[in-house]
Amino acid sequence: MQASGRSYQLDVMKLFFALIVLVSHTDAFIGNNTKFVIPHAAGWWGVFFFFIVSGMLMVNSQAKRQPDSASPAKAASEYVTRRLKSLMNPYLSALFLNFLIFRLFLFRQGERLFLVDGVQILTQALFLSATSLDNFLLNAPAWYISAMLIVMLPLYYLLSRSREFYIYIFAPLTAIFTYAWCFNQENHYFAFWQYYGLVSGGIVLAVMGMSFGAVSWMIAEKLRQRTGKACRATVTALEILLYGLIFYVWFSPRCSAEPAYAVMLLMPVAVAISFSEASYISGLFRVPALKNLAPVSLAVYLNHISAWRIVHGLYLGRSYKFCLFAVLVFTIVHCPFYFLIMRIAHLIWEKVKLFD
């Protein structure tokens, strides 16, 4: 790993998958004459990648944790609280910007937003959109963060109680069981707000992805122990083969659920190789400037729906190519305002802390 402890290769991939999610949400602009085909279940697989990385980094953080007297329950609570604090400013800043755009278009259409309706945003503001309590989704993709935080709490608890049990038994079995369950649902896919018993589809996907993430961490640890040139060359060839096959299948116009789910099993291995930096390819991503891609990818992920709302409100009916380009442009335009709101919120918070 690099001195910073971060894999810049994964940061580049996060931006790539954030853009894949953006493209998946432009299906509303596809017309009868559109030749472009959005990759099969693109948004679903993009979020799956994010969950794998979240689960892998959770295990990595716990493995580096210094032994202390904190109980597993307290350790889990502290970890999730830290993650919540780190995400709160970008999450709420994007939600605020989305609300402004939403309100602006209501005003443009001559409609009003009554307080009794507006309070529905509280569910999403409290990071509970993955529970399907929120039918007022201003920033729908943010359900991923909600599901991740909810699922992290019990998973980190189990990880803290017994790392070996979690990594070698619980996580692999849970990943396979939930993987099989997902595939056997009607049409093989489901919306995150659909409920199955006591949990939503988003929670199930989070459990599956983060469990696969633990498997990825285990593979990465094994790879780090093998540093010979022959091994690195083999791992490099394997990484190229895995990502090549995954993207070839997902981007193929002939792709359906069956082949997509098949190569889905390859993603945790490919991500593990990227995280381990056992491949020569990792050397291409050691440029220090790439560390800035982490907040950029999050900005794209959190703000593209607001951009989509603008394009949908102003340009619906134009060509797909134009609308896709417009969503990208408005997403880029959103980002400076998003970072400005984050900066202002941070300064206000620092001022408030002075009075503690």
Side-chain angles (χ1 to χ4, degrees):
M1 292 295 292
Q2 301 177 48
S4 66
R6 292 293 305 275
S7 172
Y8 296 150
Q9 184 176 353
L10 287 183
D11 289 337
V12 172
M13 292 177 64
K14 286 178 184 177
L15 178 58
F16 171 77
F17 277 103
L19 291 172
I20 288 293
V21 173
L22 180 152
V23 171
S24 74
H25 288 144
T26 60
D27 56 347
F29 306 122
I30 291 180
N32 295 329
N33 298 321
T34 302
K35 296 181 180 180
F36 178 78
V37 178
I38 296 177
H40 177 79
W44 215 81
W45 302 118
V47 173
F48 175 62
F49 167 81
F50 291 131
F51 280 131
I52 290 177
V53 173
S54 296
M56 183 174 62
L57 295 180
M58 181 186 75
V59 176
N60 192 60
S61 176
Q62 198 277 336
K64 292 181 177 180
R65 182 184 174 94
Q66 296 295 326
D68 54 33
S69 58
S71 66
K74 185 177 180 181
S77 177
E78 290 175 348
Y79 178 76
V80 174
T81 300
R82 288 196 301 272
R83 296 292 291 129
L84 175 64
K85 288 181 178 180
S86 67
L87 290 167
M88 183 175 293
N89 195 353
Y91 179 93
L92 294 180
S93 295
L95 183 60
F96 176 73
L97 192 55
N98 268 269
F99 181 80
L100 289 181
I101 298 298
F102 175 74
R103 185 67 186 87
L104 179 62
F105 273 89
L106 281 183
F107 178 77
R108 183 174 180 270
Q109 296 165 7
E111 300 180 21
R112 298 178 60 187
L113 179 66
F114 295 96
L115 179 60
V116 69
D117 299 316
V119 293
Q120 296 178 74
I121 196 177
L122 288 175
T123 311
Q124 190 168 1
L126 295 173
F127 294 83
L128 292 174
S129 55
T131 62
S132 299
L133 291 170
D134 187 4
N135 61 356
F136 192 61
L137 281 173
L138 287 175
N139 197 5
W143 74 265
Y144 151 72
I145 294 176
S146 170
M148 178 192 70
L149 293 172
I150 292 170
V151 169
M152 269 182 175
L153 191 60
L155 291 189
Y156 196 94
Y157 170 78
L158 293 174
L159 177 63
S160 298
R161 282 193 65 85
S162 175
R163 188 188 307 162
E164 289 189 353
F165 170 76
Y166 180 82
I167 293 174
Y168 293 105
I169 299 177
F170 177 83
L173 289 177
T174 301
I176 293 301
F177 290 155
T178 50
Y179 166 85
W181 182 89
C182 289
F183 179 77
N184 282 283
Q185 298 308 300
E186 186 177 3
N187 299 323
H188 309 294
Y189 302 105
F190 46 82
F192 74 88
W193 61 79
Q194 292 177 315
Y195 250 75
Y196 303 89
L198 294 175
V199 296
S200 66
I203 297 297
V204 175
L205 184 56
V207 171
M208 178 181 67
M210 294 186 69
S211 295
F212 272 119
V215 176
S216 293
W217 183 88
M218 176 178 62
I219 295 172
E221 284 298 295
K222 300 293 185 182
L223 291 173
R224 287 194 182 104
Q225 298 170 11
R226 294 165 172 79
T227 57
K229 291 184 177 180
C231 181
R232 287 178 66 85
T234 302
V235 172
T236 301
L238 181 60
E239 184 177 19
I240 295 172
L241 176 64
L242 289 176
Y243 280 125
L245 183 57
I246 290 169
F247 292 127
Y248 170 77
V249 171
W250 283 355
F251 285 85
S252 171
R254 294 178 53 84
C255 184
S256 61
E258 287 77 7
Y261 264 85
V263 297
M264 180 179 178
L265 292 171
L266 303 179
M267 181 59 80
V269 182
V271 172
I273 295 174
S274 300
F275 183 64
S276 70
E277 298 191 6
S279 164
Y280 286 118
I281 294 176
S282 65
L284 302 174
F285 300 92
R286 295 183 183 276
V287 181
L290 292 178
K291 66 182 179 181
N292 297 317
L293 287 184
V296 171
S297 62
L298 184 60
V300 170
Y301 185 84
L302 290 176
N303 289 286
H304 74 271
I305 284 296
S306 185
W308 176 94
R309 184 170 283 114
I310 294 174
V311 177
H312 190 272
L314 297 179
Y315 304 114
L316 186 62
R318 298 286 295 270
S319 70
Y320 176 77
K321 185 184 296 186
F322 174 88
C323 291
L324 174 60
F325 179 74
V327 170
L328 288 169
V329 169
F330 279 114
T331 299
I332 294 171
V333 171
H334 265 67
C335 287
F337 294 100
Y338 158 79
F339 285 116
L340 177 61
I341 293 170
M342 284 179 57
R343 180 60 178 168
I344 293 173
H346 176 74
L347 292 175
I348 293 174
W349 178 249
E350 291 299 316
K351 291 290 185 180
V352 171
K353 286 170 62 176
L354 292 175
F355 296 100
D356 289 347

